[in-house]
Amino acid sequence: MVHEGGDARTREEIRRFLAIGSVQVAEIDLDGDEAALRPGPGSPPVTHGEVFLLVRRAGRPVGTLLARVPEGADPRAVLTAAAAGTAGTSAGTVTAPDEGVEASDGTVTTPDGTVTASDGRVGARAGAVGACAGAVGAGGGAGLPFASVVVATRERTAQLGRALDSLLAQEHPRFEIVVVDNAPLTGGTRELVERKYGERVRYVCEPVPGLAVAHNTGLAEVRGEVVAFTDDDVVADPRWLAELTAPFAADRRLGCATGLILPARLRTPAQVLLESHGSFAKGFTPTTYDPADPPRDEPLFPFTAGRFGSGANMAFRTGALRSVGGFDPATGAGTPARGGDDLYGFVRVLAQGHRLHYTPYALVWHHHRETWTDLETQAYGYGAGLTAYLTAVLVNRPALLPAFLARLPRGLAHARALTAVRAADSGGAAPGSHATRTHPWPRRLSRLQRRGMLYGPVGYLRARRALANRTDSAGNAGNARSAGSAGNARSAGNARSAGSAGSAGNAGNAGSAGRGTR
């Protein structure tokens, strides 16, 4: 809840926030003679009012739009007309009929899947990836790599069950699912997995808190050629895993792929505001990032890792992620660093010379947080995670320091723009559609982002120190056990539960050379 007080500007921001109305979520497929309209995951049937609409062609996401269904009108007829009136003929984005298939970043997707950048360069590699991904629907997934899906969770069994149901329904010929129970307080997650999912889902317990630690534990367990990561608060589209792993079959130099994240629900002001500012939206143009050919319109490459995707929808070639040591265990939610584990992974893989590919065809529906307090926590965490991951990259890869310093002035300007008080845009574009903003971003949240950015390096160093202390405790526990004292043995048990996870977290770094990561 928002606490009123302060100056008139603060009260006005509170008023505007509380006035944000809910938006229905739905999807429509324009393939065939009769468009199929469905509500978003967990949403009721569409009725009159404002609708956030995903438009598909032949099952593939091609864009979003915001439409209003008048009271008494047929929702399917209204939304079909809105989607047909704005959808381009090539997959890539929803646009007006006379605009061509062009995204706001200036890239153009041609019918053969080739991406042409705004400076005229043609991404032939992106075209090859698109061609392979196109074969997913036609060939039923033949040739897709064996994949592992890792889901880290903590005491959220209802959400986890919903996510696992969607993952088990994937249209992928060969995959496994590993659930990592991170620092559990109860046996609820283990009981759910063993009772409902049996041998279809593998359960692993990681006692040390931290998302990166949990992901590294999962990485050490997987057997797949490609390892995908998602969160326990998503619903995965049936073709998600096939579309996310197809690019790896097309490009042997590909080290990472990311996909599209859309809101599962927009019921509260907090959910609508977050989506309005495009925190997860990366557009509908397939894009390949190559460190050997840096994009000319990205002067901060590769340090603006947030442009590449998000941790709720990412996959890595397992060997490539292990070769860079996995994720830094001092980053991520659940640690003093507050976040940045996914961004760290993207940059480390790119710094090793691997390509990264973003595909809008690999879709997960994300359940955004619901309250103003959640928004405050996220704003601060985003800021902290950003600078924490940059600190982690430089600590673990000092050779990148000269490149980082060369980009620092522009980076500071980018940070100021990223955390500025942002006004609403005019027009009726969908929330998050190429960063179109349908509601202003409050000053309070901007301040929290900046405070988080100042705290990020401190939080990262605190997290590293905490991991080192756990490792020391584990060593002392081992000595106490060998001494055989009953009293010391009891404290050894405590240190052991804290310490074994610390070494498991480091297994992501050290152990990437070993069995499988995460």
Side-chain angles (χ1 to χ4, degrees), residues 470-484 488-489 491-493 495-496:
R470 286 193 181 98
T471 303
D472 291 342
S473 298
N476 293 336
N479 293 334
R481 281 197 303 276
S482 60
N488 289 341
S491 57
R496 202 160 48 241

Side-chain angles (χ1 to χ4, degrees), residues 43-57:
S43 296
V46 181
T47 182
H48 67 274
E50 202 165 33
V51 182
F52 175 94
L53 185 68
L54 168 66
V55 182
R56 297 180 188 256
R57 284 194 178 277

Side-chain angles (χ1 to χ4, degrees), residues 165-177:
D165 289 342
S166 71
L167 292 173
L168 287 168
Q170 290 299 298
E171 299 173 5
H172 190 289
R174 292 189 307 138
F175 68 97
E176 62 173 359
I177 301 173

Side-chain angles (χ1 to χ4, degrees), residues 252-310:
R252 296 304 303 175
R253 277 194 56 201
L254 196 69
C256 179
T258 61
L260 177 66
I261 302 174
L262 292 179
R265 293 180 298 192
L266 294 172
R267 297 192 305 189
T268 71
Q271 291 174 330
V272 176
L273 182 59
L274 179 63
E275 189 61 30
S276 173
H277 286 264
S279 294
F280 297 106
K282 309 301 174 189
F284 289 86
T285 301
T287 307
T288 297
Y289 298 90
D290 189 344
D293 184 20
R296 299 175 194 174
D297 58 347
E298 297 244 8
L300 301 178
F301 180 86
F303 297 108
T304 49
R307 295 286 297 272
F308 306 147
S310 301

Side-chain angles (χ1 to χ4, degrees), residues 146 148 150 176 178 180 202 204 206 212-229 316-327 503-518:
F146 175 42
S148 302
V150 173
E176 62 173 359
V178 177
V180 181
R202 195 142 39 102
V204 179
E206 171 49 72
V213 173
H215 280 173
N216 283 337
T217 298
L219 181 59
E221 293 287 334
V222 301
R223 299 184 288 258
E225 177 187 344
V226 173
V227 55
F229 298 90
F316 296 84
R317 198 176 298 278
T318 306
L321 185 57
R322 289 173 177 169
S323 72
V324 300
F327 302 92
S503 55
N506 291 333
N509 283 336
S512 58
R515 298 162 30 214
T517 13
R518 253 229 286 210

Side-chain angles (χ1 to χ4, degrees), residues 28-40:
I28 194 165
D29 197 324
L30 298 180
D31 190 39
D33 295 333
E34 188 169 335
L37 175 67
R38 295 182 296 272

Side-chain angles (χ1 to χ4, degrees), residues 60-62 88-95 99-118 121-123 126-131 282-288 357-361 434:
R60 279 184 148 184
V62 297
T89 56
S90 302
T93 188
V94 169
T95 107
E99 291 177 339
V101 184
E102 181 172 354
S104 61
D105 59 2
T107 56
V108 178
T109 303
T110 60
D112 65 359
T114 303
V115 175
T116 305
S118 55
R121 293 180 296 115
V122 175
V129 171
K282 309 301 174 189
F284 289 86
T285 301
T287 307
T288 297
H357 181 71
Y358 167 74
T359 171
Y361 309 132
H434 302 296

